[in-house]
Amino acid sequence: MPMNRQWVLDHHPDGPATPATWRLEDAPMPEPGPGQILVRTRWLSLDPYMRGRIAPGANYAAGVAPGEVMQGGGVAEVVASNHPGWAVGEMVETMAMGWREHAVLDPDRPGTARANRIPPGIPPQASLGWAGMPGLTAFVGLTEIGRPLPGETVVISAASGAVGQVAIQIARLMGARVVAIAGSDDKLAHCRDLGAAEVINHRTADIGAALDAACPGGVDVFFDNTGGPIHDAVMARLATHARVIICGRIAVVDQPADRDIGLRASSRMIVTRARVQGLVVFDWWHLRDAALSRLAQWHRDGHITFREDVLEGFERVPEAFCRMMAGANFGKQLVRL
């Protein structure tokens, strides 16, 4: 009997996840029912939001219990179809893939579980990066929440990551001046290549002093992908009527939530009249198709480029997750099967 390998959660981690947080198991090969398709995984996406899915506490979406297949998006090839609209050999992107070699999908399910065709001219794995959820996150964060005006200063943390890379380029297309924060000189060189006017190495620089030098008029838009000390330093330097997009907290995600209190910024919010808004991209899924069409056009016009960090082999999925959480990746973290 053919078997289907899958990574299941072994236990909720106390602190940073390790490869032992998951275990590899064999399960019976699934069979598609009426209106369903069977797919074979080709690419898996590793993203910081997944850390919240393996925490025992409440989150904005249901988490993964020990013994359950790890959640995550991926790209797969249709190997059997009982759906009239899908043929064997087609490529599909979905947030409902999970860490498994094969899966049965319901192509007509709405929302984030939907099965999406890869648009012509786009590499399949790009639908997990600039042409997928990270690209949509950057697009929504800037065009719907941050809305930088020409000449305004936009600060982006984790700027060489999957979201940050796209955010730099969108901010520049909107006429803003970008200050990129990342954790190595190589990553910062990449941010400059993408159009950042100033760069800050958060591992070696005095962040506050560097921000004072890079943002003499204050920060108009802050795309916060990290939380932690970077968040505190930028919040203390907001310009009047600044907009803050709280997108990620990878710097503090392994700490208890009640310790992540950040800067006591209420007085600063009064002085600057800043607006602070949390961003969970799944709230904006109704904009997905329109946003990705715009991103694809920018890519065709040469305005969007993107770097990927690829590990080979299903056995390396937990390793890829852990290196992404530690900031060891350079670009969007993917695993190719």
Side-chain angles (χ1 to χ4, degrees), residues 4-232:
N4 186 32
R5 292 194 301 170
Q6 55 190 24
W7 284 101
V8 304
L9 185 65
D10 183 80
H11 60 276
H12 291 129
D14 181 12
T18 70
T21 300
W22 299 270
R23 63 178 185 269
L24 188 59
E25 293 187 347
D26 286 331
M29 183 67 66
E31 296 185 5
Q36 296 181 325
I37 57 176
L38 175 66
V39 300
R40 178 170 55 214
T41 307
R42 295 303 191 192
W43 295 87
L44 285 175
S45 175
L46 289 308
D47 301 283
Y49 80 86
M50 293 171 162
R51 180 59 181 83
R53 300 292 172 88
I54 59 173
N59 206 287
Y60 59 81
V64 181
E68 292 182 344
V69 176
M70 180 62 187
Q71 297 173 3
V75 167
E77 179 184 356
V78 179
V79 294
S81 176
N82 290 330
H83 190 288
W86 286 86
V88 170
E90 288 193 271
M91 299 296 288
V92 56
E93 175 272 326
T94 180
M95 290 295 296
M97 190 66 240
W99 290 7
R100 47 195 172 184
E101 290 183 313
H102 294 81
V104 167
L105 303 177
D106 296 297
D108 297 328
R109 285 187 67 184
T112 58
R114 190 177 75 183
N116 305 290
R117 283 186 171 84
I118 310 297
I122 292 178
Q125 76 277 14
S127 65
L128 304 174
W130 67 265
M133 184 269 291
L136 178 60
T137 302
F139 184 91
V140 166
L142 288 168
T143 65
E144 297 289 333
I145 301 174
R147 299 187 177 186
L149 299 174
E152 287 193 320
T153 295
V154 176
V155 172
I156 302 170
S157 59
S160 68
V163 173
Q165 292 181 75
V166 184
I168 290 173
Q169 295 170 90
I170 293 176
R172 283 206 66 238
L173 287 167
M174 298 176 78
R177 173 180 171 271
V178 177
V179 177
I181 303 176
S184 77
D185 291 342
D186 286 345
K187 291 179 179 180
L188 292 175
H190 178 57
C191 292
R192 283 198 183 277
D193 290 342
L194 297 178
E198 301 286 345
V199 297
I200 298 172
N201 187 329
H202 70 83
R203 298 188 190 277
T204 60
D206 178 322
I207 298 175
L211 284 167
D212 289 337
C215 312
V219 177
D220 299 295
V221 177
F222 176 30
F223 205 125
D224 182 9
N225 291 305
T226 63
I230 296 171
H231 167 91
D232 292 353

